[in-house]
């Protein structure tokens, strides 16, 4: 399968890698239906397994945009036995694995890491997680779960809400933020957006 990153202005081919190369044309906007396709699930599984292999070789480190968050999580663990993170659009644990590589074990032991994802990823995560022990603290939820009092309590209270790029692909970003803020996070950590990633050209369509 062709795993090259799609370029803006060019047809997006499976398996739809998220990273976007520079292009001066914006003739093709990102297709939001991508995230409901089996090819996207295959891409997420492939990318996560690749990170797990790097993690097993002790070569994994946080990206520069995530590194400050490791300090915040460490500080929070000093005043709370359990620290809860809600990671919107965190796939099958990419951000978690990178963060975990720089956290002390005592911080990891008290970390509850909740990823809020699409129905496609949420419904397939349990099977993927089997045998992948590094993903132990990770749970997946759907955005609709935040509207359910019986499910929201599993994520609440939330110490840190992580918004790492995915908010720009939400079909209705304002309602998404309203739902996420129901978690009443103590901190909102925003990274990898078109505003701070120095992307020369980028296009996305939202309601």
């Amino acid at each position: 399968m062709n795993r090259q990153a799609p370029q803006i202005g060019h047809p997006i081919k499976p398996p739809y890698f998220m990273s976007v190369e520079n292009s001066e044309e914006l003739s093709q906007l990102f297709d939001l239906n991508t995230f409901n396709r089996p090819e996207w699930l295959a891409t997420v599984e492939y990318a996560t397994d690749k990170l797990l292999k790097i993690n097993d070789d002790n070569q994994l480190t946080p990206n520069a945009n995530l590194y400050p968050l490791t300090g915040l999580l460490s500080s929070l663990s000093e005043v709370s036995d359990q620290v809860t993170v809600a990671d919107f659009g965190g796939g099958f644990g990419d951000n978690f694995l990178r963060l975990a590589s720089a956290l002390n074990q005592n911080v990891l032991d008290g970390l509850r890491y909740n990823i809020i994802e699409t129905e496609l990823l949420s419904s397939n995560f349990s099977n993927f997680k089997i045998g992948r022990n590094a993903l132990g603290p990770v749970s997946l939820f759907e955005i609709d779960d935040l509207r359910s009092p019986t499910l929201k309590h599993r994520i609440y209270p939330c110490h840190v809400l992580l918004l790492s790029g995915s908010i720009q692909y939400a079909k209705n970003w304002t309602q998404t933020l309203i739902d996420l803020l129901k978690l009443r996070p103590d901190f909102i950590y925003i990274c990898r957006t078109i505003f701070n990633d120095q992307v020369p050209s980028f296009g996305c369509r939202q309601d």
Side-chain angles (χ1 to χ4, degrees):
M1 293 184 1
N2 177 14
R3 297 191 181 276
Q4 279 191 324
Q7 294 184 358
I8 291 180
H10 297 271
I12 299 174
K13 300 178 180 179
Y16 312 104
F17 258 159
M18 286 293 302
S19 56
V20 179
E21 301 297 331
N22 298 338
S23 172
E24 302 202 356
E25 295 182 356
L26 297 175
S27 60
Q28 178 159 336
L29 300 177
F30 200 90
D31 181 5
L32 295 175
N33 291 323
T34 290
F35 305 110
N36 295 317
R37 293 175 178 157
E39 294 91 341
W40 178 245
L41 174 62
T43 292
V44 172
E45 291 176 339
Y46 171 85
T48 307
D49 273 333
K50 187 175 180 179
L51 280 181
L52 285 166
K53 178 63 169 65
I54 299 172
N55 185 60
D56 290 342
D57 295 337
N58 295 316
Q59 299 294 319
L60 193 61
T61 57
N63 294 337
N65 53 51
L66 284 175
Y67 197 80
L69 184 53
T70 63
L72 175 60
L73 294 177
S74 297
S75 297
L76 289 171
S77 71
E78 294 176 1
V79 295
S80 178
D81 292 335
Q82 192 169 73
V83 176
T84 302
V85 175
D87 179 358
F88 178 72
F92 276 175
D94 294 23
N95 294 329
F96 166 77
L97 289 170
R98 292 189 180 279
L99 289 168
S101 69
L103 294 174
N104 293 331
Q105 188 59 47
N106 64 311
V107 180
L108 284 174
D109 289 343
L111 186 63
R112 282 185 19 179
Y113 201 95
N114 302 303
I115 296 174
I116 302 167
E117 262 294 352
T118 62
E119 180 182 1
L120 175 67
L121 295 193
S122 299
S123 61
N124 283 277
F125 181 66
S126 295
N127 288 335
F128 178 83
K129 187 177 178 181
I130 295 173
R132 294 171 172 86
N133 296 330
L135 297 174
V138 177
S139 299
L140 252 70
F141 296 87
E142 297 176 43
I143 190 71
D144 288 346
D145 293 341
L146 303 184
R147 304 185 188 112
S148 169
T150 59
L151 291 174
K152 189 178 75 170
H153 77 278
R154 294 171 58 185
I155 313 176
Y156 181 86
C158 175
H159 294 94
V160 179
L161 171 61
L162 172 57
L163 301 176
S164 179
S166 296
I167 194 69
Q168 64 205 31
Y169 302 109
K171 290 184 178 181
N172 187 332
W173 66 271
T174 51
Q175 185 59 52
T176 297
L177 282 176
I178 290 172
D179 290 334
L180 291 172
L181 291 176
K182 291 176 182 177
L183 295 172
R184 298 174 62 189
D186 295 328
F187 298 90
I188 301 175
Y189 189 92
I190 303 174
C191 61
R192 290 188 62 203
T193 70
I194 57 176
F195 306 108
N196 65 8
D197 245 10
Q198 298 181 345
V199 178
S201 60
F202 189 90
C204 62
R205 178 175 53 207
Q206 293 172 301
D207 296 334

